[in-house]
Amino acid sequence: LALALFIMTSYPKLPPHRPSSSRFITLRIPPETPFLPYLLNYCELIRVRHYKGKDVGIFIATAVGSLKEVTIRCANAEAGRKGKDGRKDVRVFPQEEKFELLSCVGTISSSGPHIHISLGDKDGVCFGGHLMEAVVNTTVEIVLGVTEGE
């Protein structure tokens, strides 16, 4: 009890907020489709058609599928190929490599996406990072959440 009182009195109070509600939308992206451009266009259609252009919060609740031609940015990576911009923390995988999309979370705002993915290769080795580009191999199924509020 003493610890709870200490925590409640030691930290600043949270600002007032209004609860928001979320609406969920499912999406299936077909094979050979560039993943990010398709997703960003779809999110823009959501904003325009359903929310009259309002800058609502859109997030990826979950996603599964398979990808190829993947480029990710790894956190402080030492190994790997250099990306197109010469950065060593960017990994570009050859076109013939295909991966299971094990998890995908992130936000898509009007200023751009911030998406992290976990992938599995043919040997079951898992890795992940910040998604920069990819092409859908067989399919990708996504559950998007849309929130309104302040």
Side-chain angles (χ1 to χ4, degrees):
L1 181 61
L3 179 60
L5 288 173
F6 171 76
I7 291 172
M8 290 175 19
T9 57
S10 298
Y11 292 98
K13 291 185 178 183
L14 293 173
H17 67 283
R18 295 178 188 226
S20 64
S21 61
S22 295
R23 175 181 175 196
F24 292 93
I25 300 166
T26 58
L27 167 66
R28 180 176 288 202
I29 304 178
E32 304 302 322
T33 304
F35 180 79
L36 276 177
Y38 190 96
L39 180 61
L40 296 178
N41 287 335
Y42 190 85
C43 290
E44 189 56 30
L45 284 174
I46 291 170
R47 283 189 189 92
V48 170
R49 290 187 182 168
H50 299 290
Y51 297 93
K52 298 182 175 104
K54 184 177 175 184
D55 192 16
V56 294
I58 300 177
F59 61 93
I60 299 171
T62 190
V64 294
S66 63
L67 297 171
K68 62 184 181 179
E69 300 177 44
V70 176
T71 302
I72 61 172
R73 188 177 73 232
C74 304
N76 301 319
E78 294 293 326
R81 300 186 190 126
K82 290 185 180 181
K84 295 175 188 172
D85 61 359
R87 292 175 52 156
K88 279 187 82 172
D89 59 348
V90 175
R91 294 196 60 195
V92 180
F93 296 94
Q95 185 172 354
E96 63 274 2
E97 286 192 64
K98 295 167 180 62
F99 303 98
E100 284 295 318
L101 175 58
L102 304 173
S103 71
C104 181
V105 294
T107 56
I108 299 103
S109 70
S110 58
S111 61
H114 185 186
I115 300 171
H116 289 209
I117 62 170
S118 296
L119 301 169
D121 68 11
K122 64 181 172 37
D123 298 319
V125 175
C126 299
F127 60 95
H130 181 94
L131 179 64
M132 298 180 74
E133 57 186 43
V135 173
V136 175
N137 183 37
T138 56
T139 190
V140 170
E141 298 161 344
I142 302 175
V143 178
L144 295 172
V146 183
T147 61
E148 291 185 274
E150 297 177 11

